[in-house]
Amino acid sequence: MKRLHLIEIEDQSWCPRAVRDSVTDYLQFVLAATKIYKSMIPVLVAVLRRTGTRRIHDLCSGAAGPWLWLQPALAKMGVSVSVCLTDKYPNLEGFERASRMTNQVVGYHPQSVDPTQVPGDLLGFRTVFSAFHHFRPEQARAVLTDAVRKRQGIGIFEATQRRPLALLLTLLAPIGVLVLTPFIRPFRWSRFVWTYLF
């Protein structure tokens, strides 16, 4: 499928940490508020039951992705899992907050994790939420190849769509950022500065 690959500023190594963490905090807030991945819970439950896996390694976690509500939702369905959050640029404050809020059921790996070369000691079913579109085709293949080579299952979940309404909503995202930023916790002055002054 032909695609135009544009960059996302928070994915760049030169992006200031305060900006990157503000972006991932916002995305985590939106995922928690909308529960956009709720419909995939039965699929994930079926896969985890079939594989007998009780350990999740979430790649490209941002500030915890959907796991603050998703892990308890899986437990209600009878599948109790522990989750390890990972990212190339870990939002450690977001990770620590998620770990505290879940009594360490959602934990994290504090070092950078390249999803194309996940360390061998990070075993478990891999998940990627709202991040696979960040990869160029050769990188996407490398993410899948690494999972296969290390014999780890992987689930990739994307909410983005190539439809006019979806594209329109994407164009309106800056308005959502302006409206929702005051409600994101924890409060950070840096988030206000980057959102409203720049």
Side-chain angles (χ1 to χ4, degrees):
M1 176 184 302
K2 289 187 177 182
R3 64 194 293 265
L4 181 62
H5 189 91
L6 305 175
I7 68 164
E8 293 191 31
I9 292 172
E10 79 278 3
D11 288 341
Q12 308 309 306
S13 59
W14 48 261
C15 180
R17 183 177 155 226
V19 173
R20 182 181 295 116
D21 288 355
S22 292
V23 170
T24 57
D25 284 344
Y26 170 78
L27 293 172
Q28 194 280 323
F29 178 84
V30 170
L31 286 176
T34 62
K35 294 186 176 46
I36 198 163
Y37 291 110
K38 187 175 181 181
S39 63
M40 53 62 58
I41 291 174
V43 173
L44 191 52
V45 165
V47 168
L48 293 172
R49 283 185 177 150
R50 187 178 329 154
T51 62
T53 304
R54 293 298 175 259
R55 179 77 171 155
I56 302 281
H57 281 282
D58 189 57
L59 306 173
C60 310
S61 300
W67 285 107
L68 289 177
W69 65 267
L70 182 55
Q71 191 279 333
L74 291 174
K76 283 183 185 176
M77 299 279 292
V79 179
S80 295
V81 294
S82 62
V83 179
C84 179
L85 304 172
T86 68
D87 203 284
K88 186 172 183 179
Y89 304 108
N91 179 337
L92 293 178
E93 285 183 42
F95 285 5
E96 288 169 8
R97 185 171 54 254
S99 185
R100 276 194 314 274
M101 292 172 70
T102 62
N103 293 319
Q104 288 75 46
V105 174
V106 175
Y108 62 95
H109 185 76
Q111 285 82 36
S112 175
V113 172
D114 179 346
T116 66
Q117 297 176 339
V118 177
D121 60 327
L122 295 181
L123 300 175
F125 188 83
R126 298 176 184 182
T127 56
V128 180
F129 287 92
S130 296
F132 205 62
H133 65 274
H134 293 205
F135 300 111
R136 294 183 184 278
E138 62 276 7
Q139 294 170 312
R141 279 191 291 276
V143 169
L144 297 173
T145 299
D146 188 68
V148 170
R149 184 173 49 248
K150 293 174 181 161
R151 303 182 56 81
Q152 303 301 302
I154 187 167
I156 297 169
F157 307 96
E158 283 283 348
T160 54
Q161 299 176 356
R162 286 184 167 196
R163 296 186 181 177
L165 179 59
L167 293 173
L168 176 63
L169 290 174
T170 300
L171 293 174
L172 296 176
I175 295 170
V177 171
L178 293 173
V179 170
L180 296 174
T181 292
F183 302 101
I184 299 171
R185 297 293 175 261
F187 175 85
R188 285 194 202 134
W189 281 110
S190 64
R191 185 182 300 121
F192 269 70
V193 169
W194 286 108
T195 301
Y196 298 112
L197 295 182
F198 294 100

